[in-house]
Amino acid sequence: MSVVFYRIDDRLIHGQVMTGWSKVYKATRIFVVDDKTAQDQFLCQVMKMAVPKDYDVHVLTIEQAIEAIQNDPPELRTIVLAKTPEVMAKLLDSGAPMKELNLGGMGYVAGRKMILRNIQVSPDELAQLQAIEAKGVRVFCQIVPDGKCIEIDKVKL
């Protein structure tokens, strides 16, 4: 398995992923996992145009991502991006080899409370993240590689 980084970020591919995290993890491939985005040809093209040409980008449904992660060649270095903890929980439950999960940008919507600049979660999302952590995954909040880091077990709403 070649997934080197799992990240929740409702913006999916953007500058922090491309200039920060992809460099730290020396990624060569990105799986964007979002059912709605994967079914929108225009959004798929936008995602692919947002990265340099030397990256291999795949926009996948959850079901497609489960298969892609299981069959990811070991010589590649892949980042998996999703918008919500629910998607990451489904990937983990399907056998994804997740050791760490980074919680990046999650914008404000009704019911969410701020836990770190640019990261807001609802009580249900926090419970999902804690359930992921209870399965042995380190869950941490960190916007950029050299930024402030908070472990999810320290978060109180």
Side-chain angles (χ1 to χ4, degrees), residues 22-151:
S22 66
K23 304 270 188 275
V24 166
Y25 287 95
K26 297 177 176 65
T28 56
R29 182 147 110 153
I30 299 173
F31 290 163
V32 172
V33 185
D34 185 67
D35 287 349
K36 188 175 180 179
T37 303
Q39 295 169 6
D40 184 323
Q41 287 293 330
F42 177 73
L43 285 177
C44 289
Q45 288 181 346
V46 169
M47 290 287 155
K48 291 175 181 181
M49 290 186 322
V51 300
K53 294 198 183 303
D54 55 337
Y55 283 86
D56 186 20
V57 178
H58 299 266
V59 184
L60 308 166
T61 64
I62 294 169
E63 290 303 314
Q64 291 169 332
I66 290 168
E67 184 177 339
I69 290 168
Q70 291 171 346
N71 296 312
D72 206 22
E75 68 274 9
L76 297 179
R77 300 184 59 81
T78 303
I79 291 176
V80 175
L81 301 172
K83 290 183 178 184
T84 65
E86 180 181 13
V87 171
M88 290 299 187
K90 288 178 181 178
L91 295 177
L92 180 62
D93 290 344
S94 75
M98 192 181 302
K99 292 182 172 70
E100 292 187 329
L101 173 60
N102 171 256
L103 181 56
M106 289 181 68
Y108 177 79
V109 295
R112 283 184 176 171
K113 295 185 180 177
M114 183 166 46
I115 58 174
L116 190 63
R117 183 181 59 87
N118 298 330
I119 303 177
Q120 290 86 29
V121 297
S122 70
D124 287 343
E125 290 167 330
L126 181 58
Q128 290 170 340
L129 293 166
Q130 291 167 334
I132 290 170
E133 182 183 52
K135 293 178 181 176
V137 177
R138 175 184 175 232
V139 180
F140 64 102
C141 307
Q142 189 173 9
I143 300 292
V144 293
D146 60 351
K148 183 177 181 176
C149 180
I150 298 175
E151 302 295 322

